[in-house]
Amino acid sequence: GAVVSQHPSWVICKSGTSVKIECRSLDFQATTMFWYRQFPKQSLMLMATSNEGSKATYEQGVEKDKFLINHASLTLSTLTVTSAHPEDSSFYICSARGSRADEQFFGPGTRLTVL
Amino acid sequence: AQKITQTQPGMFVQEKEAVTLDCTYDTSDQSYGLFWYKQPSSGEMIFLIYQGSYDEQNATEGRYSLNFQKARKSANLVISASQLGDSAMYFCAMREGGWSQFYFGTGTSLTVIP
């Protein structure tokens, strides 16, 4: 089946630094990718919808300037957490829809810890 | 209003027994898809089963079956013959039509007891 990869799988950074997370569709083209954040023992919360070649659509309450999303190609979307703070520590997961209605592929997630 | 509601934060089941995880959804779309995912402690989302809104038969995948009751807007997951490895978080999700967002429920933590 199709695979979505994320890099890095985990990252620890100092408060105030920026962190970039990559999401790649390895064997299919993904015009639309989704970014989620998951806090411990909670559900996945949709942060934004990333569309190739256009601006991302952010969910209400998600700061566009803090969580920069770029979807420059059909196989790569990036999420940059700018000026990260400890409250940004979370598990970030990307997802892409496949060509069939029953296909929704998820990356393995990136665990971000901000000190 | 919540798109997906899972009312069971935690469930326990004896090994080898069956368990039903509840899920109700809310949509005005005619075309939608319902998904169940398993998330072990590693965090990866493991696809279990899919039900399309136009599918007349309940979906089945091995030990997993989906009890789809369209009029009641429910899509309960049934796991038969539970195994210790089934202990994990389970999420119900929905995609409405086209390429729109993918909504998750709050999840149910399942613990299988030996």
Side-chain angles (χ1 to χ4, degrees), chain A residues 36 38 43 46 97 101 104, chain B residues 37 39 50 95 98 101-102 105:
Chain A
Y36 296 86
Q38 186 181 31
S43 186
L46 179 65
R97 176 175 169 165
Q104 187 80 22
Chain B
Y37 286 86
Q39 188 182 40
Y50 168 85
R95 180 173 58 227
Q101 293 92 333
F102 202 75

Side-chain angles (χ1 to χ4, degrees), chain B:
Chain B
Q2 290 289 329
K3 289 284 186 181
I4 295 285
T5 301
Q6 293 181 254
T7 58
Q8 306 154 314
M11 290 281 286
F12 292 87
V13 64
Q14 203 77 37
E15 193 178 6
K16 299 180 185 176
E17 305 239 318
V19 63
T20 298
L21 306 184
D22 295 341
C23 172
T24 56
Y25 59 93
D26 181 29
T27 182
S28 56
D29 282 14
Q30 297 299 310
S31 175
Y32 53 90
L34 298 158
F35 299 72
W36 276 93
Y37 286 86
K38 171 183 177 182
Q39 188 182 40
S41 56
S42 61
E44 63 181 312
M45 299 295 286
I46 301 170
F47 168 74
L48 296 178
I49 198 165
Y50 168 85
Q51 180 85 40
S53 57
Y54 295 118
D55 296 340
E56 296 187 354
Q57 302 276 3
N58 284 346
T60 60
E61 289 283 351
R63 294 187 299 112
Y64 304 105
S65 60
L66 198 151
N67 185 0
F68 182 45
Q69 298 189 35
K70 197 169 183 176
R72 296 180 58 188
K73 294 189 176 179
S74 75
N76 298 341
L77 176 71
V78 180
I79 305 175
S80 63
S82 297
Q83 301 172 355
L84 296 178
D86 293 335
S87 294
M89 282 291 291
Y90 288 80
F91 291 99
C92 180
M94 176 177 68
R95 180 173 58 227
E96 294 173 308
W99 297 81
S100 62
Q101 293 92 333
F102 202 75
Y103 300 99
F104 281 92
T106 51
T108 296
S109 176
L110 177 66
T111 302
V112 180
I113 304 167

Side-chain angles (χ1 to χ4, degrees), chain A residues 7-114:
Chain A
H7 178 80
S9 54
W10 59 270
V11 57
I12 301 173
C13 69
K14 291 183 178 180
S15 185
T17 61
S18 294
V19 175
K20 181 186 282 188
I21 302 170
E22 293 185 348
C23 176
R24 291 182 186 273
S25 57
L26 296 185
D27 54 359
F28 69 105
Q29 294 182 335
T31 54
T32 302
M33 290 183 173
F34 304 97
W35 285 96
Y36 296 86
R37 180 167 58 181
Q38 186 181 31
F39 292 109
K41 301 196 183 300
Q42 294 188 24
S43 186
L44 283 73
M45 299 303 298
L46 179 65
M47 298 175 66
T49 302
S50 169
N51 299 297
E52 186 268 335
S54 64
K55 291 183 178 180
T57 304
Y58 290 81
E59 295 297 299
Q60 195 171 14
V62 177
E63 298 175 61
K64 302 178 184 182
D65 295 333
K66 181 165 187 63
F67 299 100
L68 300 179
I69 291 172
N70 184 277
H71 195 155
S73 77
L74 288 170
T75 59
L76 174 64
S77 175
T78 60
L79 167 68
T80 301
V81 183
T82 61
S83 186
H85 290 287
E87 57 265 30
D88 299 324
S89 298
S90 188
F91 191 57
Y92 293 86
I93 305 176
C94 69
S95 172
R97 176 175 169 165
S99 57
R100 291 183 355 213
D102 63 343
E103 293 179 333
Q104 187 80 22
F105 304 110
F106 286 85
T110 296
R111 200 164 297 279
L112 171 64
T113 302
V114 184

